[in-house]
Amino acid sequence: MSESKPSAARPSVLSLNINSKSALYAAYMPFLANGGIFVPTPRPHQLGDEVFMLLQLMDDPTKHPVAGSVVWITPRGPQGGRTQGIGVHFSADDSGRALRGRIEQILAGHLGSSRPTHTL
């Protein structure tokens, strides 16, 4: 029966490079307890799927590794011109907390804005 859900065997690996503050603002999900990020992807995922990400933020050459779970899905062909992809809730471990802190440091002063994002 494990054949029906091969994604349960190991998390998928995603890589995301965010080039600007505006792109980071649009992708960041501050309303999640540990923070999260929207990842544009055509690959199918289910809510609750475990994922592992390598996230590069703007001019920083570091690829931040973080584990998380899928908590948001924007399907193919969404209304309103939204981008297809998934929202990943960062894990509550040190890497998740560090990445949330780094993102919020970069976005300081922008988090309360009413500009549209990829999620809410």
Side-chain angles (χ1 to χ4, degrees), residues 78-111:
Q79 293 183 358
R82 294 211 180 263
T83 302
Q84 178 182 357
I86 59 171
V88 177
H89 187 199
F90 299 151
S91 63
D93 62 13
D94 289 343
S95 64
R97 284 191 294 276
L99 186 54
R100 178 182 183 156
R102 178 69 182 122
I103 290 171
E104 290 185 355
Q105 179 182 37
I106 292 168
L107 293 177
H110 296 280
L111 288 177

Side-chain angles (χ1 to χ4, degrees), residues 12-59:
S12 63
V13 178
L14 304 169
S15 182
L16 180 62
N17 183 7
I18 296 183
N19 298 326
S20 68
K21 268 189 190 181
S22 61
L24 181 59
Y25 175 84
Y28 185 54
M29 301 170 74
F31 52 85
L32 296 174
N34 303 317
I37 199 96
F38 179 84
V39 181
T41 180
R43 290 174 40 193
H45 287 85
Q46 300 294 317
L47 291 175
D49 282 356
E50 296 294 318
V51 295
F52 183 79
M53 283 191 318
L54 294 172
L55 182 61
Q56 188 173 2
L57 301 172
M58 296 175 301
D59 296 331

